[in-house]
Amino acid sequence: MKKILNTVIFVLLCSYCWAQGTQLEKEFKTPPKIQTGVYWYWMCGNISKEGVIADLKAMKKVGINRAFIGNNYFDPYKGGRTVRLMSDEWWDITHTALKTASELDIEIGIFNSPGWTQAGGPWVKPSQAMRYLTSSEMRIKGPATISTQLEKPIAEFQDVKVIAYPAPKNDLLTLNKSNSRIKISPDLVNSDRLFDGDNFTGAGMPQNVDVTVDIIANKE
């Protein structure tokens, strides 16, 4: 029974591989329709109805069926004509591009804002831009009355809040073998790197093995 079962499995595998090979050969000779997309940069408004129509027809000819329009501007620009973004002429050319693309069965996407970052421009002030929280730190030994200016973490910075609090005891202490007892079970190669204060070093952990690390700080 076992031999018969193995034979059946072998025959099924051979049939599957033959079917896959036949399908691969068929698709190699006649490639299926695929979505080929490109970034379509309109540089410094140097655009026209005739130009976008010609571009789209050229895309269609070589099998490109998806394009993402990006309006990019840089200064100084010493090219030909310049169509200002959002002007009546720009809207007219954009409408022509979308209409022609629809007729040629080409999908069109448009960046949500001109510029290489796709979502910004020189008209966006730093106070209006996306932002994140960062911080600077000053350590002061008290008791004392102090009036000072905190260092800005970056040039474009908006104050949010100043927080003062007592630093925990030994918060800057780095545990190592000189001030604590460290026991690792099982032993690891280069285990000292785990406590050398360098974020770019480390020790390899064995797979599927529980590792226990006991750290006991020495009493002062």
Side-chain angles (χ1 to χ4, degrees):
M1 182 65 182
K2 184 176 181 181
K3 291 183 178 179
I4 295 175
L5 181 61
N6 289 341
T7 302
V8 172
I9 293 175
F10 177 74
V11 171
L12 289 175
L13 287 174
C14 288
S15 300
Y16 174 77
C17 293
W18 178 83
Q20 292 296 309
T22 302
Q23 181 67 19
L24 182 62
E25 181 181 0
K26 179 181 178 182
E27 293 182 354
F28 182 81
K29 292 179 178 178
T30 308
K33 183 179 179 181
I34 59 175
Q35 291 287 87
T36 304
V38 296
Y39 287 121
W40 189 14
Y41 290 125
W42 293 6
M43 303 303 296
C44 294
N46 189 15
I47 56 176
S48 66
K49 287 185 179 181
E50 298 78 14
V52 296
I53 292 174
D55 281 354
L56 288 165
K57 287 183 176 180
M59 292 181 200
K60 187 66 177 181
K61 184 176 181 180
V62 297
I64 294 171
N65 44 35
R66 180 179 293 167
F68 298 90
I69 299 173
N71 291 274
N72 292 321
Y73 292 82
F74 52 86
D75 188 45
Y77 172 62
K78 298 180 181 180
R81 62 197 303 274
T82 297
V83 178
R84 298 301 301 173
L85 182 71
M86 307 298 282
S87 65
D88 290 341
E89 186 179 6
W90 181 89
W91 279 112
D92 195 22
I93 295 172
T94 301
H95 177 265
T96 299
L98 298 178
K99 184 175 183 295
T100 305
S102 179
E103 294 171 352
L104 296 173
D105 193 26
I106 296 177
E107 295 181 10
I108 293 293
I110 301 178
F111 292 177
N112 60 329
S113 185
W116 291 105
T117 60
Q118 303 184 14
W123 58 88
V124 179
K125 299 177 182 178
S127 60
Q128 300 168 331
M130 292 183 288
R131 61 195 65 191
Y132 60 92
L133 286 174
T134 186
S135 63
S136 60
E137 179 183 290
M138 176 181 292
R139 288 179 173 263
I140 298 172
K141 186 174 182 180
T145 300
I146 295 175
S147 177
T148 186
Q149 186 77 27
L150 290 174
E151 180 181 354
K152 289 186 176 182
I154 57 176
E156 295 292 346
F157 179 76
Q158 178 183 357
D159 287 325
V160 177
K161 187 178 289 291
V162 176
I163 302 175
Y165 59 91
K169 184 180 180 181
N170 296 327
D171 68 314
L172 296 180
L173 176 65
T174 299
L175 293 176
N176 52 47
K177 288 188 176 180
S178 66
N179 55 33
S180 60
R181 288 180 289 125
I182 302 173
K183 181 180 179 181
I184 302 177
S185 179
D187 291 335
L188 300 178
V189 177
N190 297 322
S191 60
D192 289 347
R193 295 180 179 178
L194 295 175
F195 304 94
D196 61 1
D198 189 342
N199 293 330
F200 295 97
T201 61
M205 295 290 182
Q207 294 184 354
N208 302 320
V209 176
D210 292 335
V211 177
T212 302
V213 180
D214 293 322
I215 305 174
I216 303 175
N218 295 336
K219 295 182 178 181
E220 295 182 355

